[in-house]
Amino acid sequence: MLAVGLAQGTAVAKPAAQTAGSTARAAAADDPYTQAFLTQYGKIKASANGYFSPDGLPYHSVETLMVEAPDHGHQTTSEAVSFWMWLEAAYGRVTGDWAPFNAAWTVAEKTIIPQHADQSTADSYNPSAPATYAPEHPLPSGYPSALDGNVKVGTDPLATELASSYGTMDVYGMHWLMDLDNVYGYGNKPGTGGESGPGAGASYINTYQRGAQESVWETVPQPTTDLFKYGGPNGYLDLFVDDASYAKQWKYTNAPDADARAVQAAYWAYRWASDQGKASAVSASVAKAAKMGDYLRYAMFDKYFKRVGDCTDPASCPAATGRDSQHYLLSWYYAWGGAAAGSGGGWAWRIGDGASHQGYQNPLAAWALSNVPALTPKSATARGDWSKSLTRQLEFLTWLQSSEGAFAGGCTNSWEGSYSAPPAGTPTFYGMAYDWQPVYHDPASNNWFGFQAWGMERLAAYYHETGNAAAEAVLSKWVAWASSETTVGADGSFRFPSTLNWTGQPDTWDAASPGDNAGLHVTVVDYANDVGVGAAYVKTLTYYAAKSGDEDAAALAKALLDAMALNATDKGISVPETRKDYNRFNDEVYIPAGWSGTMPNGDTIEPGSTFIDIRSWYKDDPDWPKVQAYLDGGAAPTFTYHRFWAQAALALAFAIYAELLVEGGGEPGGDTEPPTAPAGLTVTATTSNSVSLSWSAATDNVAVTGYDVYRNGVLAGNATTRTFTDPGLAAATEYSYTVAARDAGGNTSALSAAVTATTKSGGSTGTGAVKVQYKNTDSSATDNQIRLGLQVLNTGSAPIDLSTVKVRYWFTSDGGPSTFGTYCDYAALGSSNITHSVVAVSSPKTGADRYLEIGFTGGAGTLAAGASTGELQLRINKSDWSNFNESDDYSRATNTTYADTSKVGAYVAGTLAWGVAP
C-alpha cells in the first residue's frame, strides 16, 4: 500500500527551476513521490498482477470483462504500448537502467508493428492511385458502402520518399488493436500474415468500420488479414464495402496519438539518458521512434489526398498533387492494406484522414521531430513537415479554445466522411469545417474531459521544454478553468469534470487576426474521479507549474496526486465505477438483410444479432453474472478496473512530480503545518432543496485559503468564505455536514464537529417550468431513420425531478409496419437513464400519427434551476427498415444547431408544460 503520509505529512513543493536539457536529478531515497513511482511500477511489472500477456504486451486491463474502445479487457491498443514505452523511459531516468525501454521497442517491432509477412504485397502500392473512393455514411445501416472509381483521388507525395529512405515499401506504424489471448479465435498472428484459428498467441483484429455513429456496441470484429475463413463467403469484407468481387486481403489502422506518444516517450528517454551520459544506450530505440515519426506524417493528409479546404462535393473537389492535400494536423487515423499473398493480382492502398480532434494533437512530438537531431527522420521533407505541423497545431488549439478555456472538438475536410457541404454558417480552419464532435458520435467524441487532459498534458510538456508564449497563453486559460471545476477534500476525496456540453461555435480562423470565440461555451454536465484522467491532469499541472512558477497549479497537482494515492489496491490505484452502459450488451448489431456468417466459435452473425450474440464467450467470464443480473432488471454492476494506460499514467505522474516539483530530491520545500479545524459550524437556513451553513475562521501559520464542505461524509463543494449553501437536495431529508480548512501549502485541517440539517417539505420537483431545444441531425428527409437531438432546460426557480418529465416528438409513419426501433445513441446524463418508445396518436393529425416519447429514469436525478439535461441523440427506424418521408412531419425542422422549438412538447407530471401539440 502507498504511504498515507503522501496525503497528510508532505508539504507542497514549490516549482523548481527547470529548462530544456537540464540535468536529470537522481531519485532520492527520501523522496516519497519517486518511491511511489517505484511502488506503482513494481505492481505493474509483477507477473502475479497480470498486466502482460505471454507475448510480453500489456493488456488493455487486468480484468477481462470490459467494453469501451476495445471490446475485451485482454485486447491491447497501440495506446497501451506507447504508455508502456513512456513508463520504461521514466524507469530509466530513476534507475539508470535502459534495458526495459529498449525491450519495449523490440517487442513492439515483433508484434504491434506489422512485419513484412503481415503486409506482404506492400511493394504493389502505386502512389499515383493510392485508394478507391468509398463514401462514409452517418449510420451503420448505410453500409456496405459502394466503391466509386469515378471520384478522383489525389497523389501520395510521401511513398517514394519513404521507400528511398528506408529501402522498403512496408509501412512502419503500430496497428491500433490486438486480441492478445485470441479470444475471438482468428489466430491472425504477427509475422504470419494468416489465420491459424483458435489457440494461444496474440492476433491482429479490427472493429470500427461503419461511420461516425457506430459505437463499440454496434461493431462486427474481423481479422486484419481476411482470408475468408470466418464470417460469410467473402469473409467480413462485404459488411463494409460494396464491390463487384472480393479479394482476400490485409489491412491495418494506425492511431496517430499513440505513435506520437511513442515519439514523446523516446524524446524523454533520449534527454534523460543524455543527462546521465548514456545517450548511446537508447540511440537504436530513439532511431526507431524517428522512423515511426516519418511514417506518422500520413496522419497529416486528407483521406483520399484531395485538396484541403472548401472541399464540399466529392466529384468537384479536386484531386491534389504535392502538398495541397496536407492539413498538417494529427488526424484520427491513417490506414493501409493490400492483397493477401497468393490471392492473385498484387495491389495495395494507403489513406489518411481529413478529420482532426483537439485531443490527438501532440506539439511536443512535433517539436522533437523537427528540432532534436537524434529524432529527426531520414526523409528529406520530414523535418519541415513537422515544423509546420507544430505551428498548425498551436493555431488549431487557439482556434478551438472556448471563452471559459476548454477546447471544442475539431475540424474535417470531408463533412460526414463524404465531402458533403456542411451547414451554412459553419466556421472553418484553413477551409476545413468546424465539427464539435469529430470522428465519432456515440458517445460524442469531445464530451469526455479525458481528451482535454490528454491534449493539455502534451501541450504543457512542450511549454515546459521550450517556454513557447503561445502555448503558455492557451495553457494558463485552460488551467484556470479546469482548476475552478476541481475539488479535493481533506479526506482524500476528489472530483473534476467528466462530461462536457458545448454551445455556440468558434470564429472562422484568421491567422493574422484570431477571434476571441465569444460565442463558444462549455458547461460541465457531471463530475468523476477517474484516476487515469486524473494522472494526465496532474502531469499537465506539474509541467505548467514547473515552468511558470504557478504555485496554485503546483498545490493542486500535489493535492490530486496525494488524493489518488489513497485509492491503492494490490494491483495499483483504482476507484470503483458503476457501468450503466452495460445494458447495451443486448444492443442489436446492424447486419444487412440477406447476409449471414459465423464467428470462429460458431456464433451466428445475421440480421437481429446482438453484441452478446456474436460474443457468446463473454458468458463464461467469471464477472458475467453481475452483468446478467443487471440485464435481468437488477442494479448496474460495479467494477474496479486496472487499465494499463491509467496505471502507467499514475506512475508517470508520481515520477514527473518528483522530478520537477520536489525541491532537493525530496527535502521539505515549504509550509508543512495544517490549519486548525473550523469551529462553530451552524445551520443558518434551510429550504425544501437547500441547506445554508456558516462557521468560525480557522487559523494557520501562513494563511487559510479555503474550506471543504462535506455532506454525509462526501465532498459537497469548496468555499473561500465562511459560508456555504448546498443546493439541489431532496425535500424532507436529514443531512450531516462537516467542514475542513485548507492552506496554500496544500495542508488540510481535521474535520469540524458535525451538524445536522433537515430540508423543508415539498417543492423539490419544481412547477413544470421547462423548455425544449431541438436540432436536426439527419441530412436526408427520405432515408430509413429519423435522427434528432434534444435537450431539456429548467427555466424555473426550483429543481425538477426528471422522472416526472416526458418529451414528445411528433412524426408520420408513412406506411409500413406498426412497430419501431428506438435508440438513444448518446445522452449527457447517460443513455441508460433515458427511456424512449413510439406511441400511436389516438386521433392522427396532419404531420403526426405517431410520437416518440422520451422519459427519464430515477437515475437521471433532478434538474437544477437554470440547468440543461445536455444533449440527447435519438433515432427511430421501422422494423422493416423501410424509408420515411420526414418533410411533412410536425416536429421536424431544418436547424442544425440547438434552438427553442414549440413543436416538441414537454410534459411534467402529465401536464403539457412546453410546446404546442398538433
Side-chain angles (χ1 to χ4, degrees), residues 808-811 818 820 822 836-842 848-854:
R808 293 180 182 179
Y809 175 92
W810 287 279
F811 66 97
S818 59
F820 298 81
T822 62
H836 37 87
S837 61
V838 170
V839 180
V841 175
S842 57
D849 58 18
R850 300 284 193 283
Y851 58 83
L852 172 66
E853 184 167 77
I854 302 99

Side-chain angles (χ1 to χ4, degrees), residues 186 221-223 226 230-231 234-240 598-599 605:
Y186 298 122
Q222 78 266 192
D226 196 330
Y230 306 109
N234 300 305
Y236 296 86
L237 301 179
D238 50 354
L239 287 172
F240 313 118
T598 56
M599 301 295 283
I605 320 166

Side-chain angles (χ1 to χ4, degrees), residues 554-710:
L556 182 56
K558 179 185 186 300
L560 282 169
L561 200 54
D562 293 350
M564 289 189 290
L566 295 176
N567 293 280
T569 71
D570 292 340
K571 292 181 172 65
I573 296 172
S574 188
V575 295
E577 54 192 89
T578 301
R579 295 301 298 261
K580 294 181 179 179
D581 62 322
Y582 280 4
N583 63 352
R584 297 190 69 177
F585 269 94
N586 284 330
D587 271 17
E588 182 177 339
V589 174
Y590 175 76
I591 304 296
W595 198 99
S596 65
T598 56
M599 301 295 283
N601 70 341
D603 285 348
T604 300
I605 320 166
E606 60 187 1
S609 292
T610 64
F611 179 92
I612 190 63
D613 286 340
I614 62 174
R615 298 167 175 87
S616 63
W617 38 262
Y618 249 133
K619 295 182 179 180
D620 297 325
D621 192 284
D623 281 329
W624 179 254
K626 292 164 58 174
V627 177
Q628 187 62 59
Y630 179 40
L631 297 175
D632 291 340
T638 297
F639 292 86
T640 301
Y641 284 126
H642 295 84
R643 299 169 178 85
F644 182 89
W645 75 265
Q647 299 305 311
L650 283 159
L652 288 162
F654 287 125
I656 292 165
Y657 185 87
E659 178 194 11
L660 301 183
L661 292 183
V662 178
E663 283 188 317
E667 295 299 321
D671 175 25
T672 62
E673 184 176 332
T676 62
L681 180 60
T682 303
V683 178
T684 59
T686 61
T687 69
S688 61
N689 54 49
S690 69
V691 170
S692 296
L693 306 165
S694 69
W695 55 89
S696 301
T699 60
D700 185 65
N701 64 315
V702 179
V704 172
T705 59
Y707 297 89
D708 301 322
V709 181
Y710 294 86

Side-chain angles (χ1 to χ4, degrees), residues 399-406 408 427 434 436 477 501-508 515-523 897-898:
W399 177 59
L400 291 170
Q401 191 162 36
S402 66
S403 297
E404 294 74 21
Y434 168 67
W436 74 274
K477 188 175 180 180
N501 191 52
W502 298 91
T503 56
Q505 54 190 14
D507 301 320
T508 287
D516 60 5
N517 288 350
L520 177 62
H521 297 286
V522 64
T523 54
T897 59
Y898 278 109

Side-chain angles (χ1 to χ4, degrees), residues 390-562:
L390 173 60
T391 300
R392 190 64 56 88
Q393 289 182 46
L394 293 174
E395 290 180 315
F396 188 54
L397 294 174
T398 302
W399 177 59
L400 291 170
Q401 191 162 36
S402 66
S403 297
E404 294 74 21
F407 295 90
C411 68
T412 179
N413 196 52
S414 179
W415 190 259
E416 293 194 330
S418 56
Y419 299 105
S420 300
T426 299
T428 58
F429 179 78
Y430 287 98
M432 296 180 287
Y434 168 67
D435 189 347
W436 74 274
Q437 52 172 356
V439 187
Y440 65 86
H441 298 168
D442 184 12
S445 67
N446 201 49
N447 282 8
W448 181 51
F449 178 73
F451 273 135
Q452 303 282 320
W454 272 2
M456 287 303 94
E457 172 265 307
R458 300 166 191 144
L459 182 67
Y462 166 68
Y463 165 63
H464 179 267
E465 295 301 277
T466 67
N468 180 272
E472 181 181 25
V474 168
L475 269 169
S476 61
K477 188 175 180 180
W478 186 90
V479 167
W481 166 75
S483 299
S484 73
E485 297 285 356
T486 302
T487 53
V488 184
D491 62 348
S493 59
F494 60 97
R495 71 172 202 172
F496 38 74
S498 178
T499 307
L500 307 178
N501 191 52
W502 298 91
T503 56
Q505 54 190 14
D507 301 320
T508 287
W509 177 251
D510 180 351
S513 181
D516 60 5
N517 288 350
L520 177 62
H521 297 286
V522 64
T523 54
V524 178
V525 175
D526 55 34
Y527 298 83
N529 58 351
D530 182 306
V531 293
V533 174
Y537 187 10
V538 166
K539 286 184 284 178
T540 302
L541 294 167
T542 301
Y543 285 127
Y544 174 70
K547 189 66 176 179
S548 69
D550 186 327
E551 293 196 13
D552 289 338
L556 182 56
K558 179 185 186 300
L560 282 169
L561 200 54
D562 293 350

